[in-house]
Amino acid sequence: MIKQDFYYFNLLKKKVAATFLKTNHAPDLIEAWKGEDIVSFQEDLFIKVKAKVSEKWFYTYFKNNTEKLPRIDMLNLLSEYVDLKDWNTFKATHKNKTHVLSNKRKPLYWLLLLIPVIVFFVFGMNSKNQFHFCFVDAIKNTPITKTPLDIKILQDEESPLYFKTDSLGCFNYETKETRIKFVVQSPYHKTDTIVRFIDSNSNQTVKLVTDDYALMLHYYSNGNVKDWKKHKQQLNNLIANDAQIYQLFDTNIGVELFTKEDFIRFITTPTRNLRRVEILDKTLKDGKISKLKFIVK
């Protein structure tokens, strides 16, 4: 296989990582993924393109330096995962971007056209734009301050940047760009993607919609619940029968998988541990929780 194809494959790996990180948490470099990161990627790949890869395949082609490329059918599916038709389309798309300035002999008038660009970089490269956002509950219209929100700033052709809101429920970001795009995530509010331009109101209040599912689970694990049978039935209606439920641990002893019945029994048994349950992540399908991750602090 020609050397240039390996260049495009390494570029494809970066695009795959960037696509996955738009909706998931993991290290920026795909070579650093392991364990739960790989499992989540396998699930995301199957959901989007109906393809499956084994953990051995992942280590062979993504984590290690391989002397051969994956099969063409797998390259096509990975290209589809990053929203391109197939492998040839991926190469052609990025070849056009790479070689757009390949002709070194330009007429003199091209230099004249570049003068405004040069002036911009000389005088404008040090100027920065300030973005300021504060988040409030859409129903209560009150600042969200009890739990810091996760902010993931999405950058073109670069890995995301991660921030958290401050004690006032706000965050600031300084950039040379005139546009900002970020994902805001909260344990008890629905995830939202925000896009704003500096020429609009860059100091804004953003309203987040309450995630009733997360609030209900939070209530069950922290509230003063007396009628356990009633809430068991409500939980049974809230969680899908085939839900994947994981308990994560602070130490490196791994992950424990719960069945729906085991989790409901655990969450409705009034023990001291119950108040230390924190929901880390959840996925909904057809109005029910299909995947859930939690930790006992």
Side-chain angles (χ1 to χ4, degrees):
M1 190 62 63
I2 61 176
K3 184 177 180 180
Q4 192 174 22
D5 278 348
F6 282 98
Y7 164 78
Y8 288 119
F9 178 61
N10 288 328
L11 183 59
L12 178 59
K13 287 199 296 185
K14 294 179 181 179
K15 296 292 184 180
V16 166
T19 299
F20 177 77
L21 289 171
K22 289 180 181 179
T23 53
N24 297 272
H25 290 290
D28 293 343
L29 296 177
I30 199 169
E31 291 83 0
W33 295 1
K34 58 183 179 180
E36 192 66 24
D37 303 324
I38 298 175
V39 172
S40 297
F41 170 70
Q42 290 171 320
E43 295 173 352
D44 199 47
L45 182 67
F46 180 76
I47 291 172
K48 292 183 178 178
V49 299
K50 306 304 179 187
K52 291 185 177 181
V53 295
S54 66
E55 186 173 354
K56 179 180 179 181
W57 186 98
F58 187 93
Y59 272 81
T60 299
Y61 293 105
F62 278 1
K63 287 185 71 70
N64 300 321
N65 292 324
T66 178
E67 295 182 356
K68 62 178 182 179
L69 294 180
R71 298 194 317 267
I72 185 65
D73 59 336
M74 197 63 234
L75 291 171
N76 287 337
L77 288 168
L78 291 174
S79 299
E80 184 181 347
Y81 180 76
V82 300
D83 296 327
L84 289 173
K85 182 180 179 181
D86 52 30
W87 173 238
N88 287 332
T89 303
F90 180 87
K91 291 194 295 182
T93 300
H94 293 86
K95 180 179 180 181
N96 291 337
K97 291 181 180 179
T98 303
H99 296 92
V100 67
L101 297 176
S102 59
N103 185 3
K104 295 181 179 179
R105 294 187 176 182
K106 304 292 183 182
L108 180 61
Y109 68 85
W110 280 108
L111 180 59
L112 298 176
L113 292 177
L114 285 174
I115 290 178
V117 177
I118 296 173
V119 172
F120 169 79
F121 277 102
V122 171
F123 295 100
M125 64 185 306
N126 292 323
S127 62
K128 292 186 177 181
N129 297 312
Q130 296 281 347
F131 289 93
H132 177 76
F133 297 92
C134 292
F135 302 90
V136 300
D137 186 286
I139 297 178
K140 299 179 182 178
N141 202 31
T142 56
I144 303 172
T145 57
K146 291 185 178 180
T147 303
L149 307 182
D150 291 315
I151 308 297
K152 180 168 69 174
I153 296 180
L154 306 177
Q155 304 184 103
D156 294 336
E157 306 296 333
E158 294 186 29
S159 300
L161 299 175
Y162 295 91
F163 298 88
K164 286 186 178 292
T165 53
D166 57 23
S167 60
L168 299 177
C170 305
F171 95 98
N172 300 291
Y173 183 63
E174 186 179 81
T175 177
K176 297 176 182 177
E177 304 295 332
T178 59
R179 170 184 175 273
I180 184 174
K181 181 178 182 181
F182 62 90
V183 178
V184 55
Q185 294 177 305
S186 161
Y188 309 119
H189 295 82
K190 294 183 178 180
T191 299
D192 199 1
T193 300
I194 310 297
V195 179
R196 295 291 186 271
F197 292 86
I198 196 66
D199 55 359
S200 62
N201 185 2
S202 55
N203 297 286
Q204 295 195 7
T205 297
V206 178
K207 293 186 177 182
L208 297 183
V209 179
T210 302
D211 188 334
D212 294 330
Y213 292 91
L215 282 179
M216 289 175 67
L217 288 174
H218 176 68
Y219 171 73
Y220 295 142
S221 60
N222 295 280
N224 183 18
V225 182
K226 296 181 180 180
D227 189 354
W228 293 100
K229 290 185 178 180
K230 176 181 177 181
H231 292 296
K232 279 185 178 182
Q233 184 58 45
Q234 290 177 324
L235 273 175
N236 186 62
N237 295 334
L238 179 65
I239 302 173
N241 291 331
D242 58 349
Q244 297 175 337
I245 304 174
Y246 304 91
Q247 180 181 356
L248 279 63
F249 297 90
D250 288 331
T251 58
N252 294 324
I253 62 175
V255 176
E256 183 176 354
L257 181 64
F258 278 61
T259 64
K260 172 183 176 178
E261 292 75 17
D262 289 339
F263 178 71
I264 292 178
R265 188 181 304 111
F266 172 76
I267 207 74
T268 56
T269 302
T271 63
R272 292 183 178 179
N273 282 342
L274 192 59
R275 290 187 176 273
R276 307 203 321 262
V277 171
E278 179 180 340
I279 306 301
L280 300 177
D281 190 26
K282 74 263 175 227
T283 302
L284 302 180
K285 183 179 180 181
D286 298 328
K288 292 180 179 290
I289 293 177
S290 60
K291 185 177 180 180
L292 181 71
K293 297 177 184 178
F294 72 96
I295 191 172
V296 179
K297 290 189 172 181

